Amino acid sequence: MPAADRAPHFVRSFERGLAVLRVFGADRPELTLSEVARGCDLTRAAARRFLLTLVDLGYVHTDGRVFRLTPRVLELGYAYLSGFTLPEIAQPHLEQLAEQVGESSSLCVLDGDDIVYVARVPTRRIMTAAITVGTRFPAHVTSVGRVILAHLADDEIDTRLRRADLRPLTARTIVAPDLLRAELARARRQGYAVVDQELEEGLRSVAAPVRDRDGDVVAAVNIPVHASRNSLESVRRDLLPHLLETVARIERDLAVTDPGRAVPRGSGTHR
């Protein structure tokens, strides 16, 4: 966050401590002190203090050379997920969908400018990056992100596109704001989004939005597939009907769930 945008109450040291936790990932489970410092743009001395504090608190373990997260970090997200019934509602429907189409399926929500996986049924690994609950990607390059962003107010879409990091992730990544607006308008109009090899070469994905009982888009479900095995036509013809049926079932279950528990405030979008 730029310094000019910080409120008077902002605690910079807390931000840095969280950055140290977030520098670890599925592709970086163990890091040296120097790697953490570089990843967080900290001095080695500052990174060392943060890491040793996290070691004392039980969130990080070290053998003296490398550092890694401990299972205790799961506590940080447990309070959020324990009251979040949407993944519980969606899970059996995702399992049924995955069995029907023979492909993975996931439920994602919008968090800031990213989408976050909150439920997932994997069938085969088709991405370079391992995807688990908690994995995040930039919203604008994913099918789930686009169908959620598509239902934001136009002025909010403009704000998000202005601040988005529109660097190309593949040769097919759409980086022009006007073209992205057109894609979001298409997703809003047709009720689903297809992203063709923009996040990763060889990966196509189709997603549809999930609405709560008030009609607000709060999440999205997707099916990712190998581009070599699935044409854009087959994605729409063979996968999309099953996806839309699954979303309809999730929405029916969500409609009879206590709205105060089903989806935490702050997730999703407005109509």
Side-chain angles (χ1 to χ4, degrees):
M1 178 183 292
D5 295 338
R6 296 186 186 120
H9 61 259
F10 194 89
V11 181
R12 182 69 188 281
S13 60
F14 186 63
E15 177 193 32
R16 289 171 171 170
L18 291 177
V20 169
L21 285 175
R22 294 178 64 183
V23 76
F24 294 90
D27 58 336
R28 295 181 295 181
E30 293 187 340
L31 296 171
T32 65
L33 172 60
S34 295
E35 289 170 334
V36 171
R38 284 196 301 271
C40 299
D41 195 24
L42 296 170
T43 65
R44 282 174 52 89
R48 182 175 182 274
R49 290 196 299 272
F50 284 116
L51 284 167
L52 293 182
T53 299
L54 291 168
V55 169
D56 290 344
L57 293 173
Y59 294 116
V60 171
H61 173 78
T62 183
D63 62 4
R65 187 182 70 85
V66 297
F67 297 83
R68 65 176 183 272
L69 299 182
T70 72
R72 189 169 186 179
V73 297
L74 296 175
E75 294 177 353
L76 301 177
Y78 178 76
Y80 173 82
L81 290 174
S82 63
F84 190 15
T85 62
L86 179 54
E88 298 170 357
I89 291 171
Q91 189 69 27
H93 298 296
L94 297 180
E95 292 170 357
Q96 182 178 348
L97 175 61
E99 183 176 354
Q100 287 175 333
V101 301
E103 302 287 353
S104 303
S105 63
S106 303
L107 177 79
C108 300
V109 298
L110 187 66
D111 181 30
D113 294 322
D114 297 335
I115 56 94
V116 181
Y117 285 72
V118 296
R120 177 165 168 77
V121 178
T123 58
R124 57 174 69 93
R125 182 170 175 177
I126 63 174
M127 289 190 68
T128 301
I131 297 178
T132 59
V133 170
T135 296
R136 332 169 53 95
F137 291 114
H140 67 277
V141 294
T142 64
S143 58
V144 282
R146 285 190 185 165
V147 292
I148 298 176
L149 291 174
H151 292 84
L152 295 172
D154 291 339
D155 58 347
E156 186 169 354
I157 290 175
D158 290 340
T159 298
R160 287 173 177 269
L161 291 182
R162 281 196 298 269
R163 74 185 183 214
D165 183 357
L166 299 182
R167 74 183 71 180
L169 301 181
T170 74
R172 297 171 181 260
T173 305
I174 297 174
V175 296
D178 287 347
L179 293 180
L180 279 171
R181 287 189 190 91
E183 286 298 309
L184 295 180
R186 185 201 308 272
R188 182 187 297 181
R189 183 172 61 252
Q190 67 189 11
Y192 67 91
V194 176
V195 169
D196 184 16
Q197 304 180 77
E198 294 187 48
L199 178 64
E200 182 174 307
E201 292 286 354
L203 176 71
R204 288 186 173 128
S205 179
V206 58
V210 176
R211 299 177 184 272
D212 65 12
R213 64 194 300 172
D214 296 321
D216 294 333
V217 174
V218 294
V221 174
N222 81 330
I223 304 173
V225 296
H226 279 292
S228 61
R229 295 198 308 263
N230 301 267
S231 66
L232 291 173
E233 179 184 359
S234 70
V235 166
R236 293 186 175 95
R237 181 190 64 233
D238 301 330
L239 301 181
L240 181 59
H242 293 290
L243 174 64
L244 295 177
E245 291 171 3
T246 297
V247 166
R249 290 195 298 269
I250 293 173
E251 290 178 340
R252 284 196 294 270
D253 287 354
L254 194 57
V256 297
T257 303
D258 178 0
R261 291 194 64 238
V263 182
R265 294 186 181 276
S267 67
T269 69
H270 299 293
R271 283 175 289 180

